[in-house]
Amino acid sequence: HHVMALSSKSLYLDSLLTFLEDGTLWTWGYNGEGQLGIGNTVDQSTPQKVNVAEPVSRMSAVGRSSLIMSST
């Protein structure tokens, strides 16, 4: 799969967010407050798939906020 976008989710690059050409959303890094959206607060050293209702077509992550958009 090809990475379509990669973005830092924090000012200190402690967690990352990406989506692939198939629309799946992946995240990893620091997760002490559950900010990765994977249902726990365990830090992740490898990409973890995030369950989303629709395929992701765009995303943005700035500071402590992330936004994802679908094409539908």
Side-chain angles (χ1 to χ4, degrees):
H1 297 285
H2 292 94
V3 172
M4 301 301 290
L6 178 66
S7 186
S8 164
K9 288 181 63 179
S10 81
L11 299 175
Y12 302 103
L13 298 174
D14 56 1
S15 54
L16 297 169
L17 178 70
T18 190
F19 75 97
L20 303 180
E21 65 185 343
D22 64 0
T24 56
L25 182 66
W26 298 81
T27 189
W28 65 102
Y30 175 71
N31 193 33
E33 299 173 24
Q35 65 269 37
L36 297 182
I38 56 173
N40 63 50
T41 56
V42 178
D43 295 349
Q44 302 296 319
S45 61
T46 59
Q48 303 295 308
K49 187 175 180 181
V50 180
N51 293 323
V52 292
E54 301 287 333
V56 176
S57 62
R58 296 179 193 266
M59 66 169 213
S60 179
V62 178
R64 293 179 177 236
S65 300
S66 298
L67 173 69
I68 60 171
M69 296 174 60
S70 71
S71 58
T72 56

